Amino acid sequence: MTEITPKRAVVTGASSGIGAAAVRALRASGWDVVAVARRADRLQALAEETGAVAMAADVTDDASVARLASEVLADGGVDALINNAGGAFGLDPVATGSISDWQRMYDVNVLGALRMTQAFLPALRDSGRGSVLLLTSTAASTAYEGGAGYCAAKSGEEMLARTLRLEEAEHNVRVIEIAPGMVRTEEFSLNRLGDPAAADKVYAGVKKPLTAEDVAEVMAFSLNLPHHVNLDQVVLRPLAQAAQHKVIRTGQ
């Protein structure tokens, strides 16, 4: 009987939120997983919980990504890269927006995904069943006041995904884009706004925002489909968010 080797995935931004949930979902469906983030202590706890391999790295640093790829590929091939690392910083209007916030968002959301994709693409081609999954956002397609920097970064990441899909189909590499709307995680809005009360206000009155686990389930589903099935783009929102500008809030 032929032994089937488990598929192996690399997940960035794995120390919390959607990234950590994605590690759990992939491990639960039989994948070997390399969990990547800057915070080594959190990664180690996740590795002990799930059986994933923890590797600390910074996707905004060329040398760190090169070292990561070298270490990961020394232990075998890779079948999927999940570019989950990202984030939003600030809610200033364009007129007074922080250049450093915009640079930070572009570096982690776009260039971070680019660095990781370039580092692992040869191995994904060699796999014969390689996939690149990029976690973008509904902000990639709909502008909102105070969101120009994040919308621009996620639009850039979306264009990376669309172009990569055109370029890599001939190499049998799938490119999947998952674009969530309102997701309540422990850090996203807090990192953006810097204040717990302001972060809580984002979700005030929303009966059931998406959870990290909701998004991770869709990510795992897309990667576990037969390889010839490519979910080009999946947009998911909570029922209470009918559109980017229409959110049902109770008791408001």
Side-chain angles (χ1 to χ4, degrees):
M1 209 172 164
T2 303
E3 182 178 346
I4 300 175
T5 305
K7 291 182 180 180
R8 190 172 184 230
V10 175
V11 180
T12 67
S15 60
S16 67
I18 295 172
V23 171
R24 294 185 181 102
L26 288 171
R27 288 292 296 144
S29 58
W31 288 71
D32 289 338
V33 179
V34 178
V36 177
R38 292 175 299 169
R39 294 177 289 186
D41 55 339
R42 289 200 173 201
L43 284 182
Q44 190 55 44
L46 181 64
E48 292 170 3
E49 172 198 339
T50 63
V53 174
M55 289 194 180
D58 182 353
V59 301
T60 68
D61 182 88
D62 292 348
S64 183
V65 170
R67 175 190 54 76
L68 171 70
S70 177
E71 292 178 3
V72 170
L73 298 176
D75 290 333
V78 168
D79 302 294
L81 169 65
I82 294 84
N83 282 310
N84 167 78
F89 308 102
L91 268 174
D92 297 324
V94 172
T96 57
S98 164
I99 297 295
S100 62
D101 282 349
W102 280 55
Q103 288 177 328
R104 187 179 177 193
M105 286 187 280
Y106 196 83
D107 201 18
V108 67
N109 290 285
V110 183
L111 298 182
L114 176 62
R115 289 182 185 95
M116 289 294 296
T117 300
Q118 289 180 338
F120 285 97
L121 197 52
L124 293 168
R125 290 173 174 174
D126 289 344
S127 162
R129 54 182 183 178
S131 299
V132 179
L133 187 153
L134 297 101
L135 188 80
T136 63
S137 168
T138 54
S141 56
T142 306
Y144 59 94
E145 291 169 289
Y150 184 58
C151 291
K154 283 304 184 184
S155 294
E157 189 177 6
E158 181 175 271
M159 287 302 107
L160 189 160
R162 291 186 181 186
T163 305
L164 187 67
R165 187 178 301 117
L166 296 173
E167 295 171 348
E168 292 303 316
E170 65 183 283
H171 302 294
N172 205 38
V173 174
R174 292 190 299 191
V175 180
I176 300 162
E177 180 193 355
I178 306 294
M182 181 181 282
V183 185
R184 184 165 197 168
T185 64
E186 66 268 32
E187 292 188 328
F188 180 83
S189 289
L190 182 60
N191 287 341
R192 184 175 205 177
L193 302 173
D195 176 68
D200 287 343
K201 191 175 180 180
V202 173
Y203 311 101
V206 181
K207 188 175 181 180
K208 285 188 177 180
L210 295 178
T211 66
E213 289 71 26
D214 293 330
V215 181
E217 184 175 345
V218 175
M219 295 163 78
F221 174 81
S222 69
L223 289 167
N224 285 322
L225 287 170
H227 191 73
H228 71 282
V229 180
N230 197 134
L231 299 186
D232 287 7
Q233 182 187 58
V234 179
V235 176
L236 62 154
R237 306 178 192 268
L239 180 59
Q241 187 184 33
Q244 201 79 345
H245 62 282
K246 184 176 177 65
V247 179
I248 307 303
R249 299 179 188 269
T250 59
Q252 300 295 296

